[in-house]
CSV table of all heavy atoms in Angstrom, one decimal:
chain,number,residue,atom,x,y,z
E,27,PRO,N,23.6,19.9,6.5
E,27,PRO,CA,24.1,21.1,5.8
E,27,PRO,C,23.2,21.8,4.8
E,27,PRO,O,23.1,23.0,4.8
E,27,PRO,CB,25.4,20.6,5.2
E,27,PRO,CG,25.3,19.1,5.2
E,27,PRO,CD,24.4,18.7,6.3
E,36,ARG,N,16.0,31.4,4.3
E,36,ARG,CA,14.6,31.7,4.9
E,36,ARG,C,14.6,32.9,5.8
E,36,ARG,O,13.7,33.7,5.7
E,36,ARG,CB,14.2,30.4,5.7
E,36,ARG,CG,12.9,30.6,6.4
E,36,ARG,CD,12.6,29.5,7.4
E,36,ARG,NE,11.4,29.7,8.1
E,36,ARG,CZ,10.5,28.7,8.3
E,36,ARG,NH1,10.7,27.5,7.8
E,36,ARG,NH2,9.4,29.0,9.0
E,104,MET,N,-17.3,29.9,-10.7
E,104,MET,CA,-18.3,30.9,-10.9
E,104,MET,C,-18.3,31.5,-12.3
E,104,MET,O,-19.2,32.2,-12.7
E,104,MET,CB,-18.0,32.1,-9.9
E,104,MET,CG,-18.0,31.6,-8.4
E,104,MET,SD,-17.8,33.0,-7.3
E,104,MET,CE,-16.2,33.6,-7.8
E,121,LEU,N,-21.2,10.9,1.9
E,121,LEU,CA,-20.3,10.5,3.0
E,121,LEU,C,-20.6,11.1,4.3
E,121,LEU,O,-20.3,10.5,5.3
E,121,LEU,CB,-18.9,10.7,2.6
E,121,LEU,CG,-18.3,9.9,1.4
E,121,LEU,CD1,-16.9,10.4,1.0
E,121,LEU,CD2,-18.3,8.4,1.7
E,127,GLU,N,-31.5,15.4,2.4
E,127,GLU,CA,-31.0,16.0,1.2
E,127,GLU,C,-30.0,17.1,1.5
E,127,GLU,O,-30.2,17.9,2.5
E,127,GLU,CB,-32.1,16.6,0.4
E,127,GLU,CG,-31.9,16.6,-1.1
E,127,GLU,CD,-32.9,17.3,-1.9
E,127,GLU,OE1,-34.1,17.3,-1.6
E,127,GLU,OE2,-32.5,17.8,-3.0
E,165,GLY,N,-9.5,28.5,13.1
E,165,GLY,CA,-8.7,29.1,12.0
E,165,GLY,C,-8.1,30.4,12.4
E,165,GLY,O,-8.2,30.8,13.5
E,172,ALA,N,-11.7,34.9,16.2
E,172,ALA,CA,-12.6,35.2,17.3
E,172,ALA,C,-13.2,33.9,17.8
E,172,ALA,O,-13.5,33.8,19.0
E,172,ALA,CB,-13.7,36.2,16.8
E,196,ALA,N,-16.6,23.4,27.5
E,196,ALA,CA,-16.6,22.2,26.8
E,196,ALA,C,-16.7,21.0,27.8
E,196,ALA,O,-16.8,21.2,29.0
E,196,ALA,CB,-15.2,22.1,26.0
E,216,SER,N,-26.9,26.1,29.9
E,216,SER,CA,-27.3,27.1,30.9
E,216,SER,C,-26.6,28.4,30.6
E,216,SER,O,-27.2,29.5,30.7
E,216,SER,CB,-27.0,26.5,32.3
E,216,SER,OG,-26.8,27.5,33.2
E,248,PHE,N,-22.4,14.3,25.5
E,248,PHE,CA,-22.2,15.7,25.4
E,248,PHE,C,-22.7,16.2,24.1
E,248,PHE,O,-23.6,17.1,24.0
E,248,PHE,CB,-20.7,16.1,25.6
E,248,PHE,CG,-20.4,17.5,25.5
E,248,PHE,CD1,-20.8,18.4,26.5
E,248,PHE,CD2,-19.7,18.0,24.4
E,248,PHE,CE1,-20.5,19.8,26.4
E,248,PHE,CE2,-19.4,19.4,24.3
E,248,PHE,CZ,-19.8,20.3,25.3
E,275,THR,N,-10.7,9.3,12.5
E,275,THR,CA,-11.0,8.8,13.8
E,275,THR,C,-11.5,7.4,13.8
E,275,THR,O,-12.0,6.9,14.9
E,275,THR,CB,-12.0,9.7,14.5
E,275,THR,OG1,-13.3,9.6,13.8
E,275,THR,CG2,-11.6,11.2,14.5
E,278,MET,N,-15.9,7.6,9.1
E,278,MET,CA,-15.7,8.6,8.0
E,278,MET,C,-15.7,10.0,8.6
E,278,MET,O,-14.9,10.8,8.3
E,278,MET,CB,-16.7,8.4,6.9
E,278,MET,CG,-16.3,9.2,5.6
E,278,MET,SD,-14.6,8.8,5.0
E,278,MET,CE,-15.0,7.5,3.8
E,286,VAL,N,-24.5,11.5,16.2
E,286,VAL,CA,-25.0,12.9,16.0
E,286,VAL,C,-25.0,13.3,14.5
E,286,VAL,O,-24.1,13.0,13.8
E,286,VAL,CB,-24.1,13.9,16.8
E,286,VAL,CG1,-24.3,15.3,16.3
E,286,VAL,CG2,-24.4,13.7,18.3
E,330,VAL,N,-7.9,21.1,-10.1
E,330,VAL,CA,-6.9,20.2,-9.7
E,330,VAL,C,-7.1,19.7,-8.3
E,330,VAL,O,-7.0,18.5,-8.1
E,330,VAL,CB,-5.5,20.9,-9.8
E,330,VAL,CG1,-4.4,20.0,-9.4
E,330,VAL,CG2,-5.3,21.5,-11.2
E,349,ALA,N,-11.2,1.6,8.8
E,349,ALA,CA,-10.8,0.4,9.5
E,349,ALA,C,-9.3,0.4,9.9
E,349,ALA,O,-8.9,0.0,11.0
E,349,ALA,CB,-11.1,-0.9,8.7
E,369,ALA,N,5.8,5.9,33.3
E,369,ALA,CA,6.1,7.3,33.1
E,369,ALA,C,5.0,8.1,33.7
E,369,ALA,O,4.0,8.4,33.0
E,369,ALA,CB,6.2,7.5,31.5
E,416,CYS,N,0.1,20.0,20.9
E,416,CYS,CA,-1.1,20.8,20.8
E,416,CYS,C,-1.6,21.0,22.2
E,416,CYS,O,-0.9,20.7,23.2
E,416,CYS,CB,-2.2,20.2,19.9
E,416,CYS,SG,-2.9,18.6,20.5
E,428,PRO,N,-0.1,9.1,8.7
E,428,PRO,CA,-0.9,8.8,7.5
E,428,PRO,C,-1.5,7.4,7.7
E,428,PRO,O,-0.9,6.5,8.3
E,428,PRO,CB,0.2,8.7,6.4
E,428,PRO,CG,1.4,9.3,7.0
E,428,PRO,CD,1.3,9.2,8.5
E,435,LEU,N,6.8,0.9,11.0
E,435,LEU,CA,7.1,2.3,11.3
E,435,LEU,C,6.4,2.8,12.5
E,435,LEU,O,7.0,3.6,13.3
E,435,LEU,CB,6.8,3.2,10.1
E,435,LEU,CG,7.8,3.2,8.9
E,435,LEU,CD1,7.3,4.1,7.8
E,435,LEU,CD2,9.2,3.6,9.4
E,438,ASP,N,8.3,1.4,15.4
E,438,ASP,CA,9.6,2.2,15.5
E,438,ASP,C,9.3,3.5,16.2
E,438,ASP,O,10.1,3.9,17.1
E,438,ASP,CB,10.2,2.3,14.1
E,438,ASP,CG,11.5,3.0,14.2
E,438,ASP,OD1,12.3,2.7,15.1
E,438,ASP,OD2,11.8,3.9,13.3
Side-chain angles (χ1 to χ4, degrees):
R36 172 190 180 137
M104 300 182 302
L121 294 172
E127 211 184 329
S216 158
F248 178 72
T275 67
M278 196 54 93
V286 165
V330 180
C416 64
L435 284 179
D438 182 41

